[in-house]
Amino acid sequence: MKNCHQNIHFNSNWQNELANAYTDPLVLLHYLQLHEKHLPYRIAKSADFPMRVPQSYADRMEKGNPYDPLLLQTLPLISEQLEVEGYVADPVGDLEAIVSPGMLHKYHNRVLLISTGACAIHCRYCFRRNFPYSDSILTRSHWEDYNDHLKSHPEINEVILSGGDPLVLSDTRLQAIYNNLDNFKQIKIIRIHTRVPVVLPKRVDSHFLKAIKQSHKQFVLVLHCNHANEINHQVVDAISSLRDHNIILLNQSVLLKGINDSVEALAELSEKLTFAGVLPYYLHMLDPVQGAAHFAVSEHRAKDIMTTLRSKISGYMLPRLVREIAGKSSKIPV
Ligand SMILES: *Cc1c(COP(=O)(O)O)cnc(C)c1O
Ligand code: SF4
């Protein structure tokens, strides 16, 4: 079955697959041979933060399983509409950290660029699900401002491309960002935070890699993978072509109730990532963003899981359990 799907999509490019992503929960459920009336939860048929699932990601979901960990990351539920105390629109203080539109400077030596508001997938637990992208995205008209910020802060040696997901930008746009940074000697590292090589691996194509090869900077790519089932052989291939280009590969995950909140799930994820050439970097506590409370894992349970995990896998496979607290000078170890 799997192989036959791969063949169907083999000829379409990544933009096509993105344009044809599932946006209607009922259509995705139908594809997965699930019936709305038999589900153990209630889905939201329309949501402010709509569903978005590329076909290649849907192909990795188990048919007939309403608890599939990939499905649960992407399916809009009625429970998102609950108002829960402490769950807010901007849980990590992003808005206070904006130094010019699209540029966040929270930590000493690194700035983060909101390069786009778009993503290849919509993750229901996303801490930027309510981010006011329309007035806070990096645009060409603000390049002067952000170059000025770099010039007046010589301590900045790393620029992080985030979003949204920077890999939904065209290669031309990415190349323009790299070219601009090549003018800055102080910048040693371009870091890309992206979920795309995991959810839409065909995006890692020769054009994308060529732009990186032409830049003079060291690239670090931080993937975002939450479950071992997300890693199929196309993802492994994408990772290996990134490695062939001397890109340092790390992974960050979010600890999510019902998805990866067990020692077994996290051990399998760490092993699979490491065998593919990606080192686990962070395991984030859920940011208390409005609409995501049903994914929360308590700190007590998170620590218990980590203690057992530490005894089961090699030290270098263990991600750092952290939480982000608005106003702090780094992510905070739990
Ligand atoms: C998380 C984050 C970073 C990166 O922090 P690291 O600990 O270096 O991974 C940088 N800038 C902002 C605004 C962030 O939220
Ligand atoms: S890909 Fe990243 S930014 Fe986009 S919805 Fe998912 S977690 Fe949020």
Side-chain angles (χ1 to χ4, degrees):
M1 256 330 261
K2 271 249 135 81
N3 280 331
C4 107
H5 282 291
Q6 280 154 16
N7 288 338
I8 292 168
H9 301 288
F10 186 74
N11 287 319
S12 58
N13 67 20
W14 67 269
Q15 271 120 338
N16 265 337
E17 186 171 335
L18 211 50
N20 293 320
Y22 291 96
T23 52
D24 181 340
L26 294 180
V27 177
L28 176 63
L29 290 171
H30 181 76
Y31 171 71
L32 295 173
Q33 296 163 8
L34 288 166
H35 298 283
E36 193 197 352
K37 58 175 187 289
H38 299 139
L39 294 176
Y41 41 70
R42 283 178 63 215
I43 59 167
K45 277 168 215 152
S46 69
D48 293 341
F49 180 58
M51 191 185 83
R52 191 179 198 23
V53 181
Q55 182 66 50
S56 71
Y57 192 76
D59 286 345
R60 288 169 251 165
M61 296 175 181
E62 189 193 353
K63 297 250 165 84
N65 179 6
Y67 298 106
D68 180 87
L70 280 57
L71 176 65
L72 291 179
Q73 291 181 58
T74 53
L75 196 62
L77 301 185
I78 293 285
S79 31
E80 292 181 12
Q81 294 159 12
L82 282 175
E83 298 258 347
V84 179
E85 209 189 313
Y87 284 74
V88 296
D90 178 20
V92 297
D94 270 352
L95 295 177
E96 281 108 87
I98 295 176
V99 290
S100 64
M103 182 185 255
L104 277 66
H105 191 182
K106 268 188 196 172
Y107 304 147
H108 178 69
N109 70 311
R110 49 220 193 272
V111 285
L112 183 146
L113 303 182
I114 305 283
S115 57
T116 169
C119 292
I121 192 164
H122 285 174
C123 315
R124 307 317 301 175
Y125 53 83
C126 180
F127 73 100
R128 290 212 184 102
R129 56 179 291 165
N130 308 304
F131 196 76
Y133 283 116
S134 49
D135 22 275
S136 320
I137 301 180
L138 189 76
T139 59
R140 267 212 113 101
S141 57
H142 292 108
W143 276 30
E144 285 292 312
D145 296 345
Y146 98 86
N147 284 346
D148 286 347
H149 190 81
L150 295 181
K151 281 178 206 150
S152 59
H153 292 270
E155 73 277 17
I156 297 171
N157 61 11
E158 177 170 3
V159 171
I160 302 171
L161 305 187
S162 182
D165 197 311
L167 264 68
V168 304
L169 294 176
S170 70
D171 293 310
T172 315
R173 296 268 309 271
L174 289 172
Q175 178 110 50
I177 295 174
Y178 307 158
N179 287 347
N180 179 58
L181 292 173
D182 267 340
N183 298 323
F184 287 85
K185 268 223 166 73
Q186 74 191 69
I187 302 301
K188 307 294 181 211
I189 289 178
I190 299 178
R191 184 191 330 180
I192 302 181
H193 278 191
T194 177
R195 191 149 161 64
V196 165
V198 175
V199 303
L200 189 65
K202 65 161 68 106
R203 170 66 183 98
V204 183
D205 59 12
S206 57
H207 302 284
F208 172 74
L209 294 166
K210 193 171 153 215
I212 286 183
K213 211 171 177 173
Q214 284 171 354
S215 163
H216 297 114
K217 307 301 181 191
Q218 172 66 55
F219 276 72
V220 175
L221 205 136
V222 182
L223 294 177
H224 174 178
C225 183
N226 296 317
H227 195 280
N229 291 2
E230 294 180 346
I231 306 173
N232 64 2
H233 76 84
Q234 282 117 324
V235 174
V236 172
D237 287 350
I239 290 169
S240 92
S241 47
L242 293 165
R243 296 181 71 204
D244 288 345
H245 284 72
N246 190 32
I247 300 166
I248 297 170
L249 288 164
L250 304 170
N251 183 68
Q252 55 181 348
S253 311
V254 182
L255 185 60
L256 298 165
K257 187 172 164 186
I259 290 166
N260 60 10
D261 60 333
S262 72
V263 173
E264 296 70 33
L266 292 173
E268 196 189 350
L269 173 61
S270 277
E271 284 171 356
K272 229 166 152 181
L273 284 166
T274 309
F275 298 157
V278 181
L279 285 182
Y281 175 41
Y282 280 148
L283 177 62
H284 291 271
M285 293 295 287
L286 180 78
D287 295 313
V289 66
Q290 207 175 314
H294 55 291
F295 289 116
V297 176
S298 71
E299 182 168 325
H300 178 75
R301 216 171 110 61
K303 284 179 173 166
D304 268 0
I305 292 172
M306 285 305 285
T307 303
T308 313
L309 186 63
R310 187 172 291 119
S311 71
K312 295 255 156 113
I313 60 175
S314 307
Y316 59 83
M317 291 192 195
L318 196 72
R320 285 160 244 191
L321 180 68
V322 292
R323 125 174 32 249
E324 182 163 356
I325 299 175
K328 297 288 183 196
S329 62
S330 70
K331 308 279 190 263
I332 307 298
V334 176

